[in-house]
Amino acid sequence: MSIEKNAMTRDGALKQLSHIARERAFGRHVGSDRLIQAGLDALIAGVESPSLAMLAGLLRSEEPDAPQLFDQVLDELGCSFTRPQTLGPRSGPMPSATP
């Protein structure tokens, strides 16, 4: 029996989910196929969440459900990422560029 050398660890899977959450929070489009694959990777790595198996098992015809399920998984795992509020106008003088 051989063990796949590139198998994702639980921590690696959680980092991947968090990274995708940050990308989405900042407005980057992440395809449903990538959300489903991240769910499958996490499930195989031993991550447990009530909605994770549903995300990982979505069929191509169910891909539109992936973003909502992905967000649900993040909430269940405590991995949600909220984009920080943008800061208002800078107060004080702008630093000068010195050669």
Side-chain angles (χ1 to χ4, degrees):
M1 181 173 150
S2 71
I3 297 176
E4 187 177 332
K5 292 181 182 180
N6 295 331
M8 188 173 290
T9 65
R10 183 180 189 284
D11 287 342
L14 290 172
K15 285 179 185 176
Q16 179 182 23
L17 292 172
S18 293
H19 178 75
I20 293 171
R22 283 190 301 277
E23 286 182 277
R24 294 179 71 225
F26 282 97
R28 183 166 182 190
H29 173 75
V30 178
S32 293
D33 58 333
R34 188 167 167 215
L35 300 177
I36 295 166
Q37 184 63 51
L40 182 59
D41 291 344
L43 190 65
I44 291 171
V47 176
E48 295 181 14
S49 155
S51 302
L52 187 58
M54 289 188 291
L55 174 63
L58 286 178
L59 302 173
R60 185 169 302 273
S61 62
E62 300 170 316
E63 283 185 359
D65 297 334
Q68 182 180 357
L69 271 173
F70 183 81
D71 290 339
Q72 192 171 331
V73 168
L74 293 176
D75 287 342
E76 293 166 359
L77 295 173
C79 294
S80 295
F81 181 83
T82 304
R83 181 179 175 180
Q85 295 295 323
T86 57
L87 300 176
R90 184 183 166 116
S91 60
M94 295 290 287
S96 61
T98 55

